């Protein structure tokens, strides 16, 4: 899972220049943000302690060395852990999906 987070984090630095890319690239950036948000909400729903999630984000930063991407990731992690944790699989999956949707929609709206 850490490798997946690192690979997604590699894509996040490109958000800084995303306003200058075509709509297809915008959508790809937003899809990466969706995946990042979903992964960390899945961690939250599975009971991973917030400090461990932050360490995963820090480990990813150590490999990528992009402060902007690290800040985005930290905000996503903290936001995920401010949301309720659910007990049933159906509610956990729904919360993860809705959380990721929020980031995707916000990202897409940013480029209108």
């Amino acid at each position: 899972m850490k490798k997946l987070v690192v690979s997604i984090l590699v894509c996040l630095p490109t958000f800084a220049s995303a306003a200058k890319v075509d709509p297809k690239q915008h959508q790809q950036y937003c899809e990466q943000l969706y995946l990042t948000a979903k992964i960390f909400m899945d961690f939250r729903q599975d009971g991973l302690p917030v400090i461990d999630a932050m360490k995963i984000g820090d480990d990813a930063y150590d490999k990528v060395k992009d402060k902007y991407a690290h800040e985005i990731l930290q905000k996503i992690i903290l936001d995920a852990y401010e949301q309720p944790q659910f007990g049933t699989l159906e509610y956990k999956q729904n919360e993860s999906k809705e959380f990721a949707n929020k980031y995707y929609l916000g990202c897409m709206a940013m480029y209108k």
Side-chain angles (χ1 to χ4, degrees):
M1 188 60 76
K2 286 183 182 181
K3 287 181 182 180
L4 179 60
V5 172
V6 171
S7 66
I8 290 172
L9 189 60
V10 168
C11 297
L12 291 180
T14 57
F15 280 104
S17 61
K20 300 175 184 173
V21 298
D22 67 67
K24 187 171 185 142
Q25 285 180 303
H26 290 169
Q27 184 174 351
Q28 290 172 344
Y29 297 146
C30 295
E31 287 171 3
Q32 292 299 320
L33 193 61
Y34 174 95
L35 291 173
T36 302
K38 184 166 185 332
I39 286 168
F40 281 97
M41 181 51 84
D42 286 344
F43 286 161
R44 164 71 174 132
Q45 293 303 316
D46 290 342
L48 183 74
V50 66
I51 196 157
D52 293 341
M54 293 298 281
K55 285 179 185 175
I56 291 170
D58 291 343
D59 289 347
Y61 170 72
D62 288 342
K63 290 179 177 54
V64 190
K65 297 291 187 202
D66 186 284
K67 186 177 178 179
Y68 178 72
H70 188 240
E71 288 175 11
I72 292 171
L73 187 56
Q74 285 181 321
K75 289 177 194 285
I76 290 170
I77 294 167
L78 293 175
D79 188 17
Y81 280 82
E82 290 174 354
Q83 308 309 312
Q85 183 180 13
F86 293 98
T88 66
L89 182 60
E90 180 182 353
Y91 282 106
K92 288 178 180 187
Q93 290 173 340
N94 189 54
E95 180 67 14
S96 290
K97 202 173 9 174
E98 290 302 317
F99 185 77
N101 284 342
K102 174 177 80 171
Y103 278 91
Y104 180 80
L105 292 171
C107 178
M108 291 299 286
M110 191 168 61
Y111 301 118
K112 287 185 177 181

